[in-house]
């Protein structure tokens, strides 16, 4: 049973923007502030440099190989190896599941900022909600994401207005400091950037909607470019606004860092921002569930690394892989209950960077062999730079962990 093509450009942009913003700003921003402090905008800028080359590579290779398997089928097409593709597939499944757990943990933190519920109850309730929406169908999921993304963008604009003084004041604060010119400053930027890279992984999830997108070879690349531009502007603006404040340690330690920063001394009520944030965070978690389930579905239907065939089945009524979705949700539930947020985000970043390195290499190999006329034609240097930046990010994080930073 094939997936149903129901997504156009607008819904795809909202889908991608919602998942990336939900993960990056509302959940991980506190962790990034804790590592980079005043230098957080530079950490996000560094992460953006790593992400942009891979995003451009995804825009071309997703049009060349429009498959719900995403990186699995890109690697298989580029290298002709089912075994390598299977390894990459499992790495992607793990990364999406761990990312889903990361966002779920962030949801519970935000919820606890205004409602005192047991951790297990809030986590279990969210997992059930995610399962119901993702199983219902892609059209229903995309509609939900469109609404929550609109709420999220409006919320971020309100936050930026409330923090306009610190946004404008950050350049002066940065100029007065000397952190960037010493080894500690460089380490802080790199440690923050590695966590911030997690904030950009959503364009891979956008690529995995390929079998559910109308006019995929035109719509998918365009959506990726627009999504990356939108979220990059928001990341820099929000990070700058928070870094311009004097209470960075409090922001880093807050259950709901963005809500705390926007309401600590502005007189604006916290409850509306917290509720709006929850909707966006649910959006981000939902995308990770959908991505993990479709990867597991692709592995099952293609029998990669002996993945059980049952995961490859698509329900005839909902046109969604129900069994793969339930399996993904079960693991997300366990991780969200027992593993800290920072550890989850770091683990996701490391796994996804390895996958991105392989995808860039696959595109470079495909471009050497041929260049179809009906897909975007990136310069050959783009995937090369993608390989280099992703590989350096992996090496840099391992080095930071070795000396006890960013773990």
């Amino acid at each position: 049973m094939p997936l149903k093509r129901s997504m156009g450009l607008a819904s795809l942009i909202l889908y991608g923007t919602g998942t990336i913003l939900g993960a990056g700003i509302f959940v991980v921003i506190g962790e990034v502030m804790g590592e980079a402090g005043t230098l957080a905008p530079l950490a996000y800028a560094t992460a953006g440099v790593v992400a942009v080359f891979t995003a451009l590579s995804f825009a071309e290779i997703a049009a060349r190989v429009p498959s719900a398997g995403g990186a699995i089928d890109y690697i298989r097409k580029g290298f002709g190896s089912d075994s390598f593709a299977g390894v990459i597939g499992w790495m992607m499944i793990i990364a999406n599941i761990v990312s889903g757990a990361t966002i779920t943990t962030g949801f519970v933190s935000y919820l606890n900022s205004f409602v005192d519920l047991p951790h297990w109850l809030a986590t279990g309730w969210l997992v059930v909600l995610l399962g119901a929406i993702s199983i219902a169908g892609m059209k229903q999921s995309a509609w939900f994401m469109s609404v929550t993304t609109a709420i999220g963008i409006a919320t971020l604009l309100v936050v930026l207005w409330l923090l306009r003084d610190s946004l404008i004041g950050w350049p002066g604060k940065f100029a007065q400091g000397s952190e960037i010119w010493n080894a500690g400053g460089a380490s802080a930027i790199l440690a923050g950037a590695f966590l911030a890279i997690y904030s950009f992984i959503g364009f891979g999830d956008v690529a995995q909607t390929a079998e559910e997108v109308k006019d995929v070879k035109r719509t998918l690349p365009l959506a990726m470019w627009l999504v990356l531009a939108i979220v990059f502007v928001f990341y820099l603006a929000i990070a700058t606004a928070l870094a311009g404040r004097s209470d960075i340690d409090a922001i880093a330690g807050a259950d709901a860092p963005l809500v705390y920063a926007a309401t600590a001394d502005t007189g604006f009520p916290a409850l509306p921002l917290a509720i709006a944030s929850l909707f966006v965070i649910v959006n981000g978690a939902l995308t990770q569930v959908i991505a993990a389930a479709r990867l597991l579905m692709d592995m099952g239907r293609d029998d990669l690394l002996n993945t059980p065939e049952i995961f490859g089945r698509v329900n005839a009524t909902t046109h969604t892989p129900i069994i793969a979705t339930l399996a993904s949700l079960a693991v997300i539930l366990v991780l969200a209950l027992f593993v800290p947020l920072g550890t989850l985000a770091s683990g996701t970043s490391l796994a996804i960077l390895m996958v991105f390195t392989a995808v860039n290499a696959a595109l470079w190999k495909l471009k050497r062999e041929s260049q179809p006329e009906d897909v975007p034609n990136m310069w050959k240097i783009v995937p090369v730079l993608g390989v280099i930046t992703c590989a350096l990010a992996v090496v840099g994080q391992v080095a930071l962990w070795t000396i006890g930073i960013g773990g």
Side-chain angles (χ1 to χ4, degrees):
M1 176 66 63
L3 298 170
K4 186 177 180 180
R5 294 194 181 276
S6 58
M7 299 182 71
L9 179 62
S11 59
L12 193 56
I13 291 173
L14 289 169
Y15 176 91
T17 302
T19 180
I20 299 174
L21 289 180
I25 290 184
F26 291 92
V27 174
V28 181
I29 187 71
E31 301 289 330
V32 177
M33 296 301 298
E35 294 288 355
T38 304
L39 303 177
L42 300 183
Y44 272 102
T46 302
V49 170
V50 174
V52 68
F53 298 113
T54 299
L56 293 173
S57 291
F58 263 90
E60 177 172 342
I61 202 168
R64 282 174 173 259
V65 190
S67 164
I72 299 173
D73 293 324
Y74 307 157
I75 298 303
R76 184 159 47 184
K77 182 75 172 179
F79 294 98
S81 169
D82 283 354
S83 296
F84 188 22
V87 171
I88 292 296
W90 275 111
M91 288 183 68
M92 284 291 291
I93 291 169
I94 292 169
N96 278 285
I97 286 176
V98 175
S99 178
T102 305
I103 302 173
T104 300
T105 302
F107 172 91
V108 174
S109 293
Y110 267 78
L111 187 64
N112 285 339
S113 69
F114 65 94
V115 176
D116 187 16
L117 285 179
H119 179 71
W120 65 268
L121 180 61
T123 302
W125 175 84
L126 178 58
V127 168
V128 171
L129 176 64
L130 295 174
I133 298 173
S134 56
I135 288 172
M138 193 62 196
K139 185 176 181 179
Q140 290 78 5
S141 298
W143 177 87
F144 176 83
M145 291 176 183
S146 297
V147 173
T148 53
T149 299
I151 293 172
I153 290 174
T155 302
L156 292 177
L157 291 174
V158 170
V159 170
L160 287 172
W161 173 253
L162 293 171
L163 298 177
R164 59 192 181 279
D165 290 340
S166 58
L167 175 64
I168 296 170
W170 178 81
K173 182 180 179 182
F174 172 72
Q176 292 174 2
S178 58
E179 299 100 326
I180 191 174
W181 307 116
N182 57 51
S187 296
I189 292 172
L190 289 176
F194 189 78
L195 283 169
I197 285 170
Y198 170 84
S199 306
F200 290 93
I201 67 173
F203 56 78
D205 300 329
V206 177
Q208 286 170 229
T209 65
E211 292 183 30
E212 293 155 284
V213 175
K214 304 171 186 175
D215 193 10
V216 62
K217 291 189 176 182
R218 184 192 70 85
T219 302
L220 193 55
L222 180 58
M224 285 189 178
W225 296 330
L226 293 174
V227 166
L228 185 63
I230 292 168
V231 300
F232 189 62
V233 169
F234 271 113
Y235 282 152
L236 285 183
I238 292 291
T240 301
L242 267 60
R245 291 180 59 88
S246 59
D247 55 350
I248 290 177
D249 288 342
I251 294 172
D255 285 335
L258 205 58
V259 174
Y260 167 82
T263 61
D265 52 15
T266 62
F268 194 88
L271 186 59
L273 291 180
I275 292 174
S277 301
L278 290 176
F279 278 106
V280 184
I281 294 170
V282 170
N283 187 339
L286 178 60
T287 310
Q288 301 308 310
V289 172
I290 291 172
R294 276 146 184 76
L295 283 164
L296 191 54
M297 175 198 73
D298 195 68
M299 294 277 287
R301 69 185 181 185
D302 293 344
D303 191 30
L304 290 176
L305 293 186
N306 297 315
T307 302
E309 180 273 338
I310 192 173
F311 291 130
R313 298 177 186 175
V314 175
N315 184 268
T317 302
T318 65
H319 296 277
T320 56
I322 292 179
I323 297 174
T325 301
L326 293 176
S328 301
L329 286 166
V331 182
I332 286 173
L333 177 62
V334 172
L335 291 175
L337 286 173
F338 300 110
V339 184
L341 188 150
T343 302
L344 289 169
S346 295
T348 305
S349 291
L350 188 60
I352 209 71
L353 281 167
M354 293 178 180
V355 173
F356 284 176
T357 302
V359 170
N360 279 295
L363 177 61
W364 177 78
K365 193 170 183 299
L366 287 172
K367 289 179 74 67
R368 292 188 64 194
E369 297 171 358
S370 65
Q371 182 59 53
E373 294 182 359
D374 59 345
V375 302
N377 183 9
M378 300 298 164
W379 292 334
K380 289 183 180 179
I381 191 64
V382 168
V384 173
L385 290 173
V387 169
I388 293 171
T389 53
C390 289
L392 286 175
V394 170
V395 172
Q397 180 57 29
V398 172
L400 289 173
W401 281 347
T402 301
I403 61 176
I405 297 176

